[in-house]
Amino acid sequence: MRIDRFLSNLPQFSRQHVRLLLIEKRIRVDGQVICDPHHEIRTFSRIELDDGVLQDGKPARYFMLHKPQGCVSATRDPEHPTVLDLLDEPDKHELHIAGRLDFNTSGLMLITNDGQWSRRLTQPQTKLPKVYYVETEHIIGPEYIDQFRQGIYFAYENLTTLPAELELLGPCSARLSIVEGRYHQVKRMFGYFDNKVIRLHRESIGPLALDSLLAPGAWRPLSDQEIQLF
Ligand code: URA
């Protein structure tokens, strides 16, 4: 949101008043004097007028977690442990998950309190490749490669999946890259061939791969460089 818009939304300031505050250099965003009414601010920006605080600006938080099998990617669940239970962080209710995984899927999970950031990551237009290691009950034939590239028709949603890249690794194992996140997408794609997925592990989301030093259930904050990737 623009700073002039943020200020004029506050009940105490008229538009004229806002213009003056900016010209008079009385507004600071994250410690810096701002005169440009177009300056973009975020939920996490600290905004001050003279010596008073207009918006506190909580720090944005970003984590990578190695989701183990047998836990729910939700913030709360009455029956099972959730990925948030694994995270030893204050104010966990402020955090949310960017891109869920099924109960028995393991792998890279991103958790944040920055809604803009997670939206960029998960919105369909972004078409970020998500890479999965897959093991199946039956042999994965070479015909899967072309079929996944052409797309699989999902009757429930009445759509055909976008081209996906399949790399065969062994008779019953493969690496699949998809750019969407439909419900049970990978399992349903293999289901087209009546081949049950028995192990599913997300290795990466876009340019960010799961840190190989993170054991299942372990987590760490993202570095600034990793945050800037999205
Ligand atoms: N596709 C699935 O079927 N399950 C997941 O957890 C992720 C992608």
Side-chain angles (χ1 to χ4, degrees):
M1 186 193 281
R2 283 166 44 159
I3 183 70
D4 59 347
R5 184 121 179 260
F6 167 83
L7 293 168
S8 36
N9 280 348
L10 298 174
Q12 61 267 46
F13 305 130
S14 67
R15 279 172 171 273
Q16 176 64 14
H17 200 167
V18 166
R19 221 169 300 140
L20 281 175
L21 292 176
L22 288 163
I23 291 169
E24 290 167 357
K25 301 185 191 304
R26 293 171 64 192
I27 300 292
R28 263 173 303 142
V29 177
D30 294 328
Q32 254 197 317
V33 171
I34 296 298
C35 312
D36 178 7
H38 298 95
H39 183 89
E40 285 289 325
I41 57 149
R42 318 184 67 205
T43 336
F44 305 104
S45 308
R46 181 177 172 84
I47 301 170
E48 293 164 287
L49 163 62
D50 302 329
D51 291 329
V53 177
L54 297 174
Q55 178 174 282
D56 209 356
K58 285 197 168 185
R61 296 187 285 165
Y62 309 86
F63 305 98
M64 163 191 295
L65 180 138
H66 185 162
K67 179 190 175 298
Q69 291 184 313
C71 97
V72 183
S73 53
T75 45
R76 236 173 280 161
D77 190 271
E79 261 183 86
H80 302 288
T82 73
V83 285
L84 279 194
D85 292 333
L86 297 167
L87 212 68
D88 183 18
E89 275 289 313
D91 300 322
K92 285 201 273 190
H93 61 278
E94 293 173 358
L95 299 170
H96 62 269
I97 295 154
R100 291 169 190 280
L101 290 174
D102 294 340
F103 185 68
N104 275 326
T105 303
S106 59
L108 176 61
M109 178 131 266
L110 297 173
I111 297 170
T112 182
N113 60 346
D114 184 347
Q116 271 179 14
W117 186 83
S118 60
R119 253 192 306 284
R120 273 202 298 282
L121 226 110
T122 52
Q123 65 192 358
Q125 305 92 288
T126 314
K127 295 197 171 58
L128 266 188
K130 269 79 66 178
V131 177
Y132 293 88
Y133 169 77
V134 190
E135 281 177 13
T136 54
E137 196 167 57
H138 307 297
I139 289 175
I140 305 170
E143 69 278 15
Y144 286 42
I145 298 177
D146 253 7
Q147 191 63 57
F148 285 0
R149 211 170 268 152
Q150 281 171 40
I152 302 286
Y153 179 66
F154 283 180
Y156 183 76
E157 297 94 332
N158 187 26
L159 57 81
T160 300
T161 56
L162 289 171
E165 282 302 312
L166 184 73
E167 180 194 353
L168 303 182
L169 300 174
C172 297
S173 61
R175 181 165 286 119
L176 178 66
S177 174
I178 57 174
V179 293
E180 303 156 282
R182 308 271 168 210
Y183 180 69
H184 292 334
Q185 178 158 346
V186 176
K187 290 174 189 157
R188 290 162 78 197
M189 287 173 74
F190 280 88
Y192 174 86
F193 292 100
D194 281 328
N195 198 353
K196 189 174 171 193
V197 170
I198 54 171
R199 172 153 157 60
L200 188 56
H201 175 82
R202 184 158 64 194
E203 297 181 333
S204 60
I205 300 176
L208 185 58
L210 178 64
D211 188 332
S212 58
L213 298 175
L214 286 183
W219 55 278
R220 67 160 172 81
L222 292 185
S223 68
D224 286 346
Q225 228 175 357
E226 288 170 331
I227 297 163
Q228 300 308 322
L229 289 172
F230 301 103

